[in-house]
Amino acid sequence: MKKWIAQMMSALLIAGTLLPAITHADLQRGDMVVTLGENLTSEQKKLLLAEMNAPDDVDIVTVSNKEEHNYLDGKVASRLIGTKAISSSSITIAKSGSGINVKTKNITWVTEDMYKNALATAGIKDADIYVTAPFEVSGTAALTGLIKAYEVSTNTEISEEQKQAANEEMVETAKLGDEIGTEEATTLVETIKEEIAANPPANDEELRTIIIQAAEQININLTDAQIQSLIDLFNKLQDLGIDWGAVNDQLNAAKDKVTNYLKSEEGQSFLEKLKAVFVSLIDAIKALFS
């Protein structure tokens, strides 16, 4: 059994080395900005900076637990915010049309797609994002840090209203994910955004119809309370005058990037190598029972 586990771990590690990494060959060194939770120890900061491949002179933005509470108090359970800011991140501005791409490590409550959706709502464009922590955390501090870092790296100002909206969207999606599944919740929010961009609702009833139809489209049954929460959320977002077309462009650009990669010669080669890895896994399982 130990030998079989070792074979499986070896194969999975091989698979990990085959995964296409995000590269920034055409970007300048100063384009990365790092956010660090203020309650990290000096050693933890050093390790996270190394994990992010941050240059020695990288710009660092510090995120406090107080800032988390400013955006999240009353919206999420206190246990998820905690008393310390730990989750950290790096943001690298990518070339135009790249969309928002997110990778996470040790983040347990907020998913990659939840960050991506919330960042698009905040008006962030074309960025490669990495969110991490030295141990498992909810990840609530990272969004605040990423928005601050984007402002620093692009010399733009995001309104407090949009920051609040992005945090609320992240929280509402995560809470809904606890009830119906994280993937389902994220897909639902994305689908609603797409429909709002195509057919902006004139009132609550039209918005309710969009939400219900989006849920039916992906085979989800929502309670009245869940529908009302989504109505309240999207009413707040609509009051900000968000360009939903631009938001969807950011979300779709990242999807197109993956699709185009998999269709390319390099992508096909990657898939063949990945297939070989899984074949070796199957052979290892067969050997165990033979």
Side-chain angles (χ1 to χ4, degrees), residues 145-207:
L146 285 166
I147 294 174
K148 288 177 66 176
Y150 185 80
E151 290 179 308
V152 169
S153 59
T154 60
N155 196 30
T156 58
E157 184 176 348
I158 297 172
S159 71
E160 281 300 308
E161 290 79 11
Q162 274 191 286
K163 292 175 185 176
Q164 289 280 1
N167 275 278
E168 188 160 346
E169 178 184 333
M170 176 188 73
V171 167
E172 288 302 320
T173 308
K175 286 163 67 176
L176 186 60
D178 289 340
E179 298 168 357
I180 67 173
T182 55
E183 186 175 343
E184 290 81 358
T186 306
T187 302
L188 176 62
V189 170
E190 288 181 359
T191 304
I192 294 170
K193 285 182 176 180
E194 290 171 0
E195 186 57 33
I196 288 177
N199 301 292
N203 51 51
D204 279 6
E205 282 311 305
E206 290 186 9
L207 179 54

Side-chain angles (χ1 to χ4, degrees), residues 52-258:
M52 296 176 193
N53 294 317
D56 293 337
D57 60 349
V58 69
D59 288 328
I60 296 176
V61 174
T62 301
V63 183
S64 70
N65 186 247
K66 181 180 178 181
E67 287 175 300
E68 286 186 82
H69 281 279
N70 286 343
Y71 290 112
L72 300 176
D73 272 351
K75 298 182 178 70
V76 61
S78 297
R79 63 180 175 78
L80 291 169
I81 308 175
T83 58
K84 296 180 179 180
I86 299 296
S87 53
S88 303
S89 61
S90 67
I91 179 169
T92 305
I93 305 307
K95 62 182 180 181
S96 178
S98 296
I100 302 170
N101 300 276
V102 182
K103 297 293 181 186
T104 63
K105 178 183 177 182
N106 282 337
I107 306 300
T108 60
W109 195 56
V110 184
T111 68
E112 294 174 357
D113 284 337
M114 288 175 194
Y115 283 121
K116 185 167 61 177
N117 272 288
L119 290 168
T121 294
I124 290 177
K125 301 177 181 178
D126 303 322
D128 291 329
I129 308 289
Y130 182 64
V131 186
T132 186
F135 47 83
E136 290 190 346
V137 296
S138 66
T140 54
L143 182 64
T144 298
L146 285 166
I147 294 174
K148 288 177 66 176
Y150 185 80
E151 290 179 308
V152 169
S153 59
T154 60
N155 196 30
T156 58
E157 184 176 348
I158 297 172
S159 71
E160 281 300 308
E161 290 79 11
Q162 274 191 286
K163 292 175 185 176
Q164 289 280 1
N167 275 278
E168 188 160 346
E169 178 184 333
M170 176 188 73
V171 167
E172 288 302 320
T173 308
K175 286 163 67 176
L176 186 60
D178 289 340
E179 298 168 357
I180 67 173
T182 55
E183 186 175 343
E184 290 81 358
T186 306
T187 302
L188 176 62
V189 170
E190 288 181 359
T191 304
I192 294 170
K193 285 182 176 180
E194 290 171 0
E195 186 57 33
I196 288 177
N199 301 292
N203 51 51
D204 279 6
E205 282 311 305
E206 290 186 9
L207 179 54
R208 180 185 297 274
T209 299
I210 286 175
I211 292 169
I212 292 173
Q213 290 178 344
E216 290 174 349
Q217 185 178 327
I218 53 180
N219 298 315
I220 294 173
N221 293 316
L222 296 174
T223 66
D224 290 341
Q226 290 167 342
I227 293 171
Q228 189 58 53
S229 291
L230 288 167
I231 290 173
D232 293 342
L233 171 63
F234 279 97
N235 271 333
K236 290 178 183 177
L237 297 181
Q238 288 193 109
D239 288 343
L240 295 176
I242 290 172
D243 183 346
W244 293 107
V247 169
N248 286 326
D249 286 345
Q250 286 300 304
L251 300 177
N252 291 330
K255 295 176 185 176
D256 291 342
K257 185 177 180 181
V258 174

